[in-house]
Amino acid sequence: SYRAVSRRLACGDVEGRLEVIFGRVRAIQAKSGRFDMLLCVGNFFGSTSELTKNEYRSGAKKAPIPTYILGANNQDTLSYFPDVSGCELAENITYLGRRGVYSGCSGLQIAYLSGTEAQQQPAPAHSFSAKDVAELKTSLLSAPNFRGVDILLTSPWPRDVGTFANSAGEIDTKKCGSKLVSDLAASLKPRYHFAALEKTYYERLPYRNHMVLQETPQHVTRFIALADVGNTSKKKYLYAFSIVPMSSMDPAELVKQPQDVTENPYRKLRKETPKSKAPAEVLPCAPSEEPACQFFFDLNKHQGKKRPSEGKERGDSQPKQAKKPPQPTGPCWFCLASPEVEKHLVVSIGTHCYLALAKGGLSPDHVLILPIGHYQSVVDLSSEVLEEVTKYKAALKEFFRSKGKRYVLFERNYRSQHLQLQVIPVPLDLCTSEDIKEAFIAQAQEQQIELLEIPEHSDIAQVAQPGTPYFYVELDTGEKLFHRIRGRFPLQFGRCVLASEALLAQPQRADWRQCAAQRPEEEAQARAFRREFEPFDFSLRD
């Protein structure tokens, strides 16, 4: 079937240099053929634009292709825009208006927001307010089957756009730009988002618009910031691209995920908006992703078959029935009956599990939850053992919260024989649970590790079979991050993230071997922990 492929140009701040930008457009068209339109973000007019503008208004000069521009970003250029709702300023030069959606005859949807974020109320004529953004969102989100827009045009960058991404150079994306634009981009899910004003070029890695394992796959967004036209540093100010309207695309092709796709930089904002979840048992995969992203499917790269159901009960996440744990093939440092266990570190013993201080812990109250019998991973645990693991997690949550801390738990089922759930407390006033997740996801991306968020009330057994190597993180809120290990994996990854400057700021403690204390000190730490934990220790009451 015929698909309307549009060839577009986008440019940054023109600053009144109409001759420069239109000369460049003519040169490109002479070399590469005709483009359909030019989209301009940032400051189109500068302080010396009047003479040039009059030449175009009178018809003495003409823009080479239809040119669509955003409105004023400051008081000085307001006079160039006589009608706030949009108007033709000269032949082939159209002011889009304060906010809205431009739909071409091809079906391409272009959402736009003029001005900068208002710093005062009422908002000046060259600024937009939260109400402007809310009204633009409502006008689009209320449409049936809304999936996103093809293009979003704003002058300011969205705040935090650099989170989980390639460097934006000298621009600090945590301080630069507009939070309202971030909110708009998170909701409208543009396939392309263009911005300017920072006088630099930045093409961010594409980011996904859905939460893997939790939402149906969606298209990715490409954010591109453009420099000012004719800048002396030769930074890129003109961007050429071809685009097929979303409405004309095959759905499977639309949601293909490029290899360099990153997590969504506006995750916090997305959590505050309703999500279009698919039913948990039929979460489909993006065509370009492995079947690994579907619940109850084998995570093995080479098999797309459904896992054996183990009876009808498997779908309701019930733990497996009790079975005798396998025996270790050699000496085990963690089976409680083993002579290798350093029993002076044990601080609590239940019926099926025990609690021990970590040797060379990240902090004096870094503990391990361990099964008494020999189980390799959480996925292998019987229902009784799993139940007691849950009780220990609840007790530790209450204990650490009483001390003004939250715990982070992780398991590395890779190059290990006996399950070790590492539980590390982090001060509540040091960082939020979202900060912790961002730190793990950011460091994972740096090392090309795909760390995916999975539903809070899900069971790890739903996404990993026994024997599957994996790494997973769990917060005391129930939030979880999961990575299916397919090759090599850094053994100290969990510790490195927690010890990093982003969290505990103790990078020297990333390797436990550098932190091991003498036995008398370990015994004193264990005694202190037992004494403080006693009121929360269910094993002393059961």
Side-chain angles (χ1 to χ4, degrees), residues 132-152:
D132 291 314
V133 170
E135 289 179 0
L136 178 53
K137 282 166 57 175
T138 301
S139 68
L140 283 156
L141 298 180
S142 59
N145 304 316
F146 175 76
R147 291 181 294 172
V149 297
D150 292 299
I151 299 169
L152 173 61

Side-chain angles (χ1 to χ4, degrees), residues 220-345:
V220 301
T221 294
R222 290 172 166 83
F223 172 76
I224 296 144
L226 294 160
D228 48 320
V229 169
N231 66 87
T232 54
S233 304
K234 299 193 182 300
K235 293 176 181 175
K236 187 168 182 173
Y237 62 82
L238 191 61
Y239 186 92
F241 64 109
S242 296
I243 185 170
V244 174
M246 190 184 298
S247 56
S248 302
M249 287 189 70
D250 173 65
E253 186 179 347
L254 176 65
V255 301
K256 280 184 178 177
Q257 306 290 299
Q259 282 197 330
D260 57 353
V261 68
T262 78
E263 185 55 82
N264 190 299
Y266 319 121
R267 292 171 74 252
K268 294 178 192 176
L269 292 168
R270 293 188 71 247
K271 290 198 167 192
E272 296 165 9
T273 57
K275 297 171 186 172
S276 54
K277 289 192 178 182
E281 69 276 9
V282 289
L283 286 176
C285 301
S288 63
E289 293 183 350
E290 299 165 337
C293 72
Q294 187 161 359
F295 269 15
F296 312 124
F297 271 65
D298 189 350
L299 282 173
N300 189 310
K301 188 172 184 177
H302 306 294
Q303 295 177 327
K305 298 177 183 177
K306 269 196 173 183
R307 295 226 311 257
S309 65
E310 298 179 26
K312 293 182 181 177
E313 297 78 30
R314 190 63 185 136
D316 62 11
S317 304
Q318 290 295 318
K320 296 187 285 291
Q321 295 304 305
K323 62 178 182 179
K324 192 173 181 181
Q327 295 303 304
T329 54
C332 179
W333 290 95
F334 299 105
C335 287
L336 192 57
S338 168
E340 279 81 11
V341 171
E342 298 199 47
K343 293 186 172 58
H344 67 284
L345 293 172

Side-chain angles (χ1 to χ4, degrees), residues 16 51 85 101 174 354 424:
L51 179 63
S85 60
V101 181
K174 290 191 179 299
Y354 71 100
I424 298 95

Side-chain angles (χ1 to χ4, degrees), residues 388-405:
E388 196 162 273
V389 166
T390 303
K391 289 171 78 172
Y392 266 121
K393 287 196 287 190
L396 287 168
K397 176 177 179 176
E398 190 180 357
F399 170 59
F400 287 130
R401 288 291 173 124
S402 74
K403 296 167 75 70
K405 299 178 181 181

Side-chain angles (χ1 to χ4, degrees), residues 290 292 297-303 307 376-380 411-417 419 449-452 460-461 463-473 481-491:
E290 299 165 337
F297 271 65
D298 189 350
L299 282 173
N300 189 310
K301 188 172 184 177
H302 306 294
Q303 295 177 327
R307 295 226 311 257
Q376 182 172 326
S377 73
V378 164
V379 177
D380 296 299
E411 178 197 358
R412 187 198 75 232
N413 182 30
Y414 170 75
R415 291 180 60 180
S416 60
Q417 290 189 27
L419 167 63
I449 295 167
E450 187 175 36
L451 198 57
L452 303 174
I460 290 298
V463 290
Q465 283 186 297
T468 298
Y470 64 82
F471 173 85
Y472 101 95
V473 184
L481 301 171
F482 177 87
H483 169 64
R484 161 69 159 97
I485 299 173
R486 301 194 184 281
R488 298 181 63 141
F489 184 80
L491 299 182

Side-chain angles (χ1 to χ4, degrees), residues 347-348 354-356 365-369 389-403 405-407 409 421-425 476 529 533 536-538:
V347 292
S348 172
Y354 71 100
L355 211 58
D365 44 6
H366 174 174
V367 292
L368 308 178
I369 303 174
V389 166
T390 303
K391 289 171 78 172
Y392 266 121
K393 287 196 287 190
L396 287 168
K397 176 177 179 176
E398 190 180 357
F399 170 59
F400 287 130
R401 288 291 173 124
S402 74
K403 296 167 75 70
K405 299 178 181 181
R406 61 163 49 88
Y407 77 63
L409 176 151
L421 292 175
Q422 308 267 348
V423 185
I424 298 95
D476 68 3
F529 189 94
F533 184 61
F536 306 88
D537 191 350
F538 64 87

